[in-house]
Amino acid sequence: ASPSPGGGRRLDEASYRCVCVDGAFGDGCESICSNDCFNGCSGHGTCVHGWCQCDAGWYGVDCSDAAGLQYRRSALSTDPMQFGDGTTRAQLSVLPATLRPHLRRLRRSVYVYQMPASVNRAAEAWMWRQWGKDAGRGCDPVHNRRIYSAQSHFDAHLLHDDFTRTLDPKRASLFYVPLFLNQRVPWGADLNASMSRALQYIRTRHPWWNASSGRDHVWFVFGERQTCLVPPEIAKASIIVGHWGDEDCMSPDKDVVVPTITPVQHDYPRFVQGRDGTHSLQRSMRGSAELPLGRSGPLVFFAGGITSFGASQDNLRKGGIDSQEKQEKWLKRVTADRCARPDVSCRQVYSMGVRQAIWREKLYAEPDMRIVSAGVPDYFDVVTKARFCIHTEGNGWGARVVDYMAMECLPLMVNDRMIFPYANVLPWEDFAIHLRKDQIPALAATVRNISQRRQEEMRTALRLYKAGFVWWRPDGAAYEFTLAALGQRVEQLGLGRAARQARARS
């Protein structure tokens, strides 16, 4: 056997194939990606298929740490294509005045663990086993992880954030455990093994978990329903940040739900330019802020799959409406489905039966509503004109509310026992309507009774918070909103100065 350029071993026998190491790929392990590392290795390292090899004197997962040097993290090199064109550092000015005290509370008080490769690459090792021999073949930049790349955005910002980070654990109010679960795994990861391995490491190598029993530790969990897979010891003790806010899996009293990244903006070029070069979320987000508060479009809008994910915004309904034949097809299907009844709880089926119940009520036939069973080609246009837009779950925590907030369509939330994004710091009742599944028969009457003046008041409130639902810089402030929600938990759970003083005495 002879060595290959990428670091594997080439066997001459035709019946063998190379097993590549360190992220190399190709039949002979000859290819290595250099475009998918956090913060581009901060200008002080070489990116090798998702993981930085740091220059001498620099360390950390993104090579942003250096011993004995005075420098500003926010001045380190970054890749704008990864997270947008703007600073990685937390900015108070992008937050509404009511949220700024929560962010100030975290000033230089978040400690980020340095995890060894044996821990933070565990999810990648799982991927190679789970997805088979062709997993990871090719370059998959960290900013192309589609709707669950919010974890990558948060981690990269935090690693470069002088405002929030502290290198002194005795000053910390929160201890962040970076697992990089979707660094090479875009849709799912072996949470239990990865998180359990990380817990074992920090509790045996550092005193901080044991000092608080994990109450001041923060874990970011991405993916569909993944918060339900967190090891019980961690889920009960720590603050979990994630997208799936099911109260069976997350606590409304300590955890933080954050928005996803939607398919219409799953990478930076798509966010800025859109799919066709004319319609994009960035343009629509900015344009909606210039429109009058009053709207004259559909009273209620929804476009998406009714019984499965397949009919999403990536699968458009030509003409933007359903044929009568299509409407009757879905009606027949949901009428025979017990879970489509508004009075029946079915939390484990697609959309928890909510979309099915909406179709069963024939809201698609209401003349002042536009309810379609797939994506529509004029999506950006209709969302910026509609008055209320329906949000429900799908396979996971539905992403449409992100687009609605960005384009100022008042969210009509229809679900049960789900925690909303930033629920501990945002007054959702000021800018959204929430109905339970069993209230779907009253949906039409409810929204028709909301006056034009009240709708304008709600849209005024929505404008204060819309930036918190977008991660891409410079328009998005989801990073700051997430920190503000964590800062509120610090105050609520008593994790601030008194907790630091108690640790210092011990």
Side-chain angles (χ1 to χ4, degrees), residues 192-206:
N192 195 295
S194 297
M195 297 181 78
S196 296
R197 184 181 289 107
L199 175 58
Q200 177 64 15
Y201 176 83
I202 62 177
R203 78 188 326 169
T204 57
R205 301 299 181 91
H206 303 281

Side-chain angles (χ1 to χ4, degrees), residues 83-154:
F83 310 110
D85 188 11
T87 180
T88 54
R89 186 178 188 268
Q91 305 169 85
L92 279 169
S93 61
V94 301
L95 289 173
T98 55
L99 300 190
R100 292 175 188 175
H102 299 311
L103 178 52
R104 288 193 187 99
R105 198 172 292 118
L106 292 186
R107 186 176 180 87
R108 295 176 183 165
S109 61
V110 177
Y111 180 80
V112 181
Y113 281 105
Q114 292 282 351
M115 309 295 281
S118 60
V119 174
N120 64 23
R121 296 186 67 170
E124 180 181 0
W126 173 87
M127 180 201 69
W128 292 98
R129 295 192 302 269
Q130 176 73 11
W131 302 113
K133 62 184 181 181
D134 292 325
R137 295 175 68 85
C139 296
D140 181 23
V142 71
H143 51 280
N144 275 345
R145 301 292 151 78
R146 291 182 65 83
I147 65 175
Y148 295 122
S149 61
Q151 182 197 41
S152 294
H153 282 249
F154 182 83

